[in-house]
Amino acid sequence: MNPFEMVVAIIIVITVGKVVSTRIQAKHGIASDEEGNPVTMVDPDAGRLREEVKYLKERVAVLEKIATDDRGARELENEIEKLRNQ
């Protein structure tokens, strides 16, 4: 192997390694800023999804409370109607 072929082989190995490394980082949501520092990418829907999960947990808690209370059927019906009107 002459020196020229060795240089080309080294460049190819480095390029393939960088491509594989970038794909792995992108798969895990890691990008690089202008200076090459790793930056975690933030999902724009994350905040909305957190709020929705919080809201749904509150609804489940209310439904569990209604289902486990030992009150009469009439009071249960009034509670459900009140929640529907909210």
Side-chain angles (χ1 to χ4, degrees):
M1 180 182 273
N2 66 30
F4 177 73
E5 291 174 343
M6 189 179 304
V7 169
V8 171
I10 291 171
I11 291 173
I12 290 173
V13 168
I14 290 173
T15 304
V16 169
K18 184 66 175 169
V19 168
V20 170
S21 173
T22 304
R23 284 191 70 189
I24 291 171
Q25 287 179 346
K27 186 176 182 179
H28 294 290
I30 300 171
S32 298
D33 62 4
E34 299 84 24
E35 299 170 355
N37 300 323
V39 177
T40 304
M41 297 178 351
V42 178
D43 185 13
D45 292 332
R48 181 185 61 79
L49 292 174
R50 279 192 198 97
E51 290 297 320
E52 188 173 345
V53 167
K54 181 180 173 184
Y55 172 74
L56 292 173
K57 283 183 178 182
E58 290 172 358
R59 297 264 324 225
V60 168
V62 169
L63 292 174
E64 286 175 347
K65 177 183 169 193
I66 291 171
T68 57
D69 279 350
D70 291 331
R71 294 181 289 172
R74 183 71 178 151
E75 289 181 38
L76 180 61
E77 183 179 332
N78 289 338
E79 184 86 21
I80 291 172
E81 288 300 319
K82 186 171 83 172
L83 290 172
R84 280 189 187 145
N85 294 331
Q86 286 185 350

